[in-house]
Amino acid sequence: AFARMFARLLSRIYPERAQALMKRADEVAFNRMIGGVHHPSDLVSGKILGDEMAMQVDDKELMKMISEN
């Protein structure tokens, strides 16, 4: 869920990299399944949860978080 959320947030900042970011998030999830940390159904739930968490962050809030660090 966190890889998916961060990929969604970073895609809003770097839309030209969105495809690569989302692909990497999917790879993270898949590797966790292969490693026995998650079940296949966890991947689906994680994508939904990650997308929902990212939608809770508005653009102003996102830019504020970036500028503070």
Side-chain angles (χ1 to χ4, degrees):
F2 283 108
R4 178 77 172 207
M5 177 189 70
F6 284 114
R8 286 281 185 210
L9 293 174
L10 288 170
S11 292
R12 286 165 40 189
I13 299 166
Y14 305 105
E16 69 280 3
R17 297 182 180 171
Q19 186 176 4
L21 289 164
M22 297 308 296
K23 180 180 178 192
R24 183 66 184 126
D26 287 342
E27 290 169 354
V28 168
F30 184 75
N31 288 338
R32 291 180 64 81
M33 184 186 68
I34 294 298
V37 181
H38 290 301
H39 296 283
S41 60
D42 296 335
L43 303 187
V44 175
S45 299
K47 285 182 178 186
I48 293 168
L49 181 59
D51 289 346
E52 290 294 323
M53 289 189 301
M55 286 192 309
Q56 297 303 313
V57 180
D58 67 36
D59 288 339
K60 286 182 184 179
E61 201 175 330
L62 180 60
M63 298 315 285
K64 182 180 176 187
M65 286 189 285
I66 292 168
S67 66
E68 290 176 352
N69 293 314

